[in-house]
Amino acid sequence: MSVETAPGVLVPTREVYRRVLGELAERDPRVFCVDSDMGGLETGFGERFPERYTNVGIAEANMMGVSAGLASAGFLPYANTISTFAACRACEQMKIDVAGNNLPVRIVVTHAGFSAGHYGPTHHALEDIAIARTMPNMTVVVPSDSVSTEAAVWATADLPGPLFLRLGRAATPLVHESATDFVLGKATRLRDGDDVTIIATGPYPAVMALQAHDLLATAGIRARVLDMHTVKPIDRDAIVAAAEQTGGIVTVEDHVLAGGMSSAVCEVLAETVPCRVRRVGVPTSFLDLVGDELELLAAAGVSPDAVVAAARDLL
């Protein structure tokens, strides 16, 4: 179950997911692929398992209903669409049909955050975590690279309830150089440190957290780095430990600051251990720009330098 990539060759998370989906389908006859005209699934999955593939077209709300029906009939449907379409356009159906009935529908979204920024603001998916994590029974997972994506798909294969799996579009740098010990609901510690903790979710935020760790290290500041790949249920123990053992917490995400991973971290701290927090994320306002993911993140103030500045401010 290792990621099939040569050194220096990066694989998009969505491509890894699609490969693993085929492996799951070979093992489990209940696995069913529901496509919303994403392109590629009709050949990669549909030709291999035609009796367990359907393309509902660009009809995301209908996709949720179809997937809920399949799940209620004993299948394990993987519903595939773009993140902003699932969270916003099909929000009611995701809430009522899937989450409300606690059905094992795997809502697998791509183009999350600014990763579809070249299509313009209509495709910015910056509210999706906030929407998904408020829904009853919904598990929310945000892998940091292709390695953790593969681990996450396997780890959630037998999840009894609904899943929101948030992926990007293009290839991103590896955060995990080898197979990761992915445990649902438990953050992965990427670096040790006791001066400050950086908590990141998603591919580029995790990369930025590691870059910030190295920059801080040159100044003698030891930063703990946590990959918070599961936003719901969030790892309360890791957050409390960071608050108790380090001088503060910096969060990093490609999501609006309202309701995202940083909000979930602050909710835990408000109920447990008082701790100073600095949040690096997208301001809650429309960014009327077209560009690639890193350009838009920088324009929104999300960068390694911003993480370093936030950590220094805490200390």
Side-chain angles (χ1 to χ4, degrees), residues 2-12 16 19 146-147 174 176-177:
S2 61
V3 175
E4 298 172 356
T5 175
V9 178
L10 306 184
V11 181
V16 172
R19 173 175 59 78
S146 55
V147 173
L174 290 179
H176 305 273
E177 296 182 359

Side-chain angles (χ1 to χ4, degrees), residues 85-104:
F85 298 164
C88 297
R89 185 176 298 169
C91 179
E92 182 179 14
Q93 289 74 21
M94 184 165 64
K95 170 188 171 183
I96 296 173
D97 295 351
V98 177
N101 289 294
N102 197 20
L103 291 168

Side-chain angles (χ1 to χ4, degrees), residues 194-197 242-249 275-277 311 314-315:
D194 53 16
D195 291 328
V196 68
T197 298
E244 293 177 338
Q245 298 168 5
T246 70
I249 293 174
C275 176
R276 294 192 303 156
V277 179
L314 283 175
L315 299 173

